[in-house]
Amino acid sequence: MRSFYGTNLPNPLMLGTAQYPSPAILEDAFRRSGAGVATVSLRREGAGGAGQAFWQMIRDLGVLVLPNTAGCHTVKEAVTTAQMAREVFGTPWIKLELIGHTDSLQPDVFQLVEAAKILTDEGFQVFPYTTEDLIVGERLLAAGCEVLMPWGAPIGSGRGLANEYALRAMRAEFPDTPLVVDAGVGLPSHAARAMELGYDAVLLNTAVARAGDPAQMAVAMMRAIEAGQMAHEADPIEPRDMAAPSTPVIGKAFLS
Amino acid sequence: MKIILNGETCEVRAETLAALLEERGLSGRVATAVNEGFVPAGLRATTALKDGDRVEILAPMQGG
């Protein structure tokens, strides 16, 4: 199993913490699914101190914490957010998001590489939210990233793996790098597919948080992810065009 | 003096970033920035505020 900057994940489900109907349901989704990593963010603190209660809940869950730079559109903004996140959450991990396009939330990969270099030089362990572009992947690794997180489809779209061919190519191109499908997963089958391709983890949020029963969907995602991972490790057969009888023909009775 | 705190103009008495946090009752786990630059916790007491400064005080929040 590939490690993430020296840390072995307890399991391959990275689960977001946004958009749940209530904090209790969020907590239930984590406890029932056993998701090992929680993504979190930073926002302006109000007078009521809402952020403190949330942070206490995450701490009580005992999960690994992956802060993000969601919503950042410039290198400066993303770097400053990462610096603030490191202090608040006490981890060098940062999910680096640099949004380049409003409708698709597609990463701005040029700024992404630039920010990744700055943050790596400052001692961060960067988890870049990127596209499935191989050259961008190479540049991110050259910038010091040791993990790549290509999108499956646009954030929140639930479309699954829009470009499975490219994701497979990415797995082949970077055999030693931990790869995570981040964003676009809508169904457990999508998540299972990512793992069957040999990905190391799946990061998802909306598919669980917006489901009618988030906790049950979180469990379904976990089972699918584990099934996909087991299948990949079990070395599946190749598909073929013609039938191949599974029951032996030799010894069949002559009855016609 | 008047500063812009988390996007809103407000009148404050505090003369340093540390004093501002105290004045606002924000004692929990927060991170601070002044004029778009990160100010580590250890530098808050010596970070003087001036009229028109833009201060951001951020806390843990849900994210994907």
Side-chain angles (χ1 to χ4, degrees):
Chain A
M1 194 173 168
R2 300 174 189 89
S3 78
F4 290 73
Y5 292 101
T7 298
N8 290 314
L9 302 186
N11 57 62
L13 174 57
M14 298 180 169
L15 189 56
T17 56
Q19 298 185 305
Y20 291 80
S22 72
I25 292 173
L26 160 62
E27 196 173 351
D28 199 30
F30 271 86
R31 290 204 190 282
R32 281 179 53 195
S33 69
V37 178
T39 57
V40 295
S41 193
L42 281 179
R43 287 294 179 265
R44 286 168 168 170
E45 179 70 311
Q52 308 307 315
F54 170 69
W55 174 236
Q56 189 57 48
M57 187 221 300
I58 295 298
R59 288 186 65 166
D60 291 347
L61 285 171
V63 290
L64 293 163
V65 172
L66 177 59
N68 69 26
T69 63
C72 289
H73 290 260
T74 66
V75 170
K76 182 175 181 351
E77 199 182 9
V79 167
T80 304
T81 302
Q83 291 166 335
M84 297 174 87
R86 177 162 63 177
E87 186 177 272
V88 163
F89 295 109
T91 173
W93 282 14
I94 190 76
K95 173 183 161 176
L96 183 59
E97 265 187 63
L98 256 158
I99 301 303
H101 188 250
T102 313
D103 289 339
S104 66
L105 299 180
Q106 177 161 341
D108 179 333
V109 294
F110 304 96
Q111 293 202 84
L112 182 67
V113 172
E114 194 183 334
K117 177 80 173 81
I118 294 169
L119 291 172
T120 301
D121 288 348
E122 290 187 15
F124 283 88
Q125 296 174 339
V126 179
F127 293 60
Y129 166 61
T130 184
T131 64
E132 63 278 68
D133 189 292
L134 297 181
I135 311 308
V136 173
E138 279 177 14
R139 295 290 164 89
L140 287 166
L141 296 187
C145 296
E146 294 178 19
V147 173
L148 296 174
M149 302 209 297
W151 63 347
I155 295 171
S157 69
R159 298 180 60 84
L161 309 185
N163 193 350
E164 185 180 310
Y165 162 77
L167 292 173
R168 196 184 306 119
M170 205 165 187
R171 179 68 287 173
E173 182 69 16
F174 305 110
D176 303 321
T177 305
L179 298 179
V180 182
V181 165
D182 176 8
V185 167
L187 290 167
S189 52
H190 303 152
R193 188 69 193 131
M195 298 304 293
E196 286 168 359
L197 293 176
Y199 275 66
D200 298 279
V202 176
L203 199 167
L204 56 93
N205 189 158
T206 308
V208 163
R210 290 292 199 203
D213 184 341
Q216 181 162 324
M217 185 59 84
V219 173
M221 288 292 184
M222 177 63 92
R223 290 187 187 173
I225 285 168
E226 287 179 342
Q229 182 180 42
M230 287 177 75
H232 177 73
E233 289 168 359
D235 190 14
I237 63 162
E238 291 297 324
R240 47 183 288 162
D241 289 336
M242 303 302 288
S246 51
T247 304
V249 179
I250 296 169
K252 179 184 175 297
F254 188 74
L255 299 172
S256 60
Chain B
M1 76 183 123
K2 275 196 171 62
I3 62 165
I4 300 165
L5 175 58
N6 284 351
E8 289 182 14
T9 305
C10 53
E11 183 73 36
V12 297
R13 288 190 307 278
E15 290 178 355
T16 66
L17 189 52
L20 176 68
L21 287 174
E22 201 175 317
E23 185 178 320
R24 292 276 149 172
L26 296 171
S27 57
R29 191 172 277 257
V30 293
T32 49
V34 176
N35 300 330
E36 292 81 46
F38 169 54
V39 179
L43 296 181
R44 287 175 194 158
T46 53
T47 299
L49 295 178
K50 58 183 189 311
D51 208 47
D53 273 347
R54 297 174 303 279
V55 179
E56 294 284 340
I57 302 175
L58 307 186
M61 208 56 69
Q62 293 83 351

